[in-house]
Amino acid sequence: MATTLHEFTQVLDPKMFPRVLQIQSGIYCQGKSCVYEMFGRECSLSTGDLLKVIDITITRFTAQTSSNTEIEIPVEFPGLFKLLADSQPYRSIQEIADSLNISSHRLSQPVFLSGSEIQLAQGIIREGDSFRITAVTHELNGGRVQCELLHREPKFCFSLSFSQQGHFTECQDNQFYTLKEIAEWKISKACINLSLC
């Protein structure tokens, strides 16, 4: 099925890299070639050429003001922003793992409130307990997230399977971030970097 590059990037799962694309059609200039600007160099791409998608990179944000005016803000914008917690709860750990870029970096360790009690072999996560997700491990049958329960002494670490169901609400974060930090942590779909095959 044919799709535009923009449509493709909206549904691309970054975990599926690399992906090879074949150009089927495009905007053509001077015969059969289409000229693109890539990293300050021009290159010519033609129908039938293969591209390998190796990464997704956010280059700009399109924002809507309170007066419904759309503006574009480059990711290098020097301002600081506060993230508002998503009021929509996540229904499973899989949903969280698919939605957020979680890593060992502090900015990539979201905090969630459990809306229901979870029984674990090493203890109980009570309704209303908050926990930080510190790592994700992918396994053949799904995966797990490593977590740390907040506000409980002694320190209590545990893991949850992707299949764990529940009512997980993102906690409000009082930190300030650049757009670049937000793009690398919260946003997973944007434009892509390409390499020629």
Side-chain angles (χ1 to χ4, degrees), residues 113-134:
L113 189 70
S114 179
S116 57
E117 187 173 282
I118 301 171
Q119 296 281 340
L120 301 171
Q122 65 268 46
I124 297 173
I125 308 301
R126 296 183 296 262
E127 180 179 346
D129 278 350
S130 56
F131 61 92
R132 179 184 323 281
I133 299 178
T134 58

Side-chain angles (χ1 to χ4, degrees), residues 18 26 28 45 47 51 64 103 111 119 123 129 131 135 137 142 147 154 160 168 170 173 177 193 195:
Y28 294 94
L45 303 175
T47 298
L51 303 173
Q64 191 173 44
S103 75
V111 176
Q119 296 281 340
D129 278 350
F131 61 92
T137 53
C147 305
L160 295 172
F168 306 106
E170 190 175 5
D173 181 351
Y177 302 99
N193 289 332
S195 71

Side-chain angles (χ1 to χ4, degrees), residues 33-123:
S33 296
C34 185
V35 178
Y36 292 88
E37 181 76 21
M38 293 178 67
F39 307 108
R41 300 183 306 259
E42 288 185 352
C43 72
S44 194
L45 303 175
S46 304
T47 298
D49 282 352
L50 299 178
L51 303 173
K52 185 186 289 184
V53 180
I54 58 171
D55 192 14
I56 293 178
T57 305
I58 295 174
T59 57
R60 69 183 175 342
F61 285 87
T62 302
Q64 191 173 44
T65 65
S66 56
S67 60
N68 290 330
T69 304
E70 281 194 5
I71 57 172
E72 288 190 1
I73 307 171
V75 76
E76 295 85 15
F77 183 79
L80 293 174
F81 299 83
K82 185 175 181 178
L83 289 171
L84 299 179
D86 190 351
S87 60
Q88 198 67 4
Y90 293 86
R91 299 292 178 191
S92 71
I93 295 299
Q94 176 81 56
E95 249 186 274
I96 294 171
D98 288 346
S99 300
L100 302 176
N101 296 320
I102 300 166
S103 75
S104 59
H105 191 282
R106 174 68 178 90
L107 296 180
S108 298
Q109 295 183 347
V111 176
F112 288 88
L113 189 70
S114 179
S116 57
E117 187 173 282
I118 301 171
Q119 296 281 340
L120 301 171
Q122 65 268 46

Side-chain angles (χ1 to χ4, degrees), residues 8-45:
F8 178 73
T9 61
Q10 299 306 303
V11 297
L12 181 64
D13 182 352
K15 297 177 197 133
M16 302 303 290
F17 290 145
R19 293 295 303 268
V20 176
L21 307 178
Q22 184 177 40
I23 297 175
Q24 298 300 303
S25 66
I27 302 168
Y28 294 94
C29 311
Q30 300 173 344
K32 296 183 179 180
S33 296
C34 185
V35 178
Y36 292 88
E37 181 76 21
M38 293 178 67
F39 307 108
R41 300 183 306 259
E42 288 185 352
C43 72
S44 194
L45 303 175

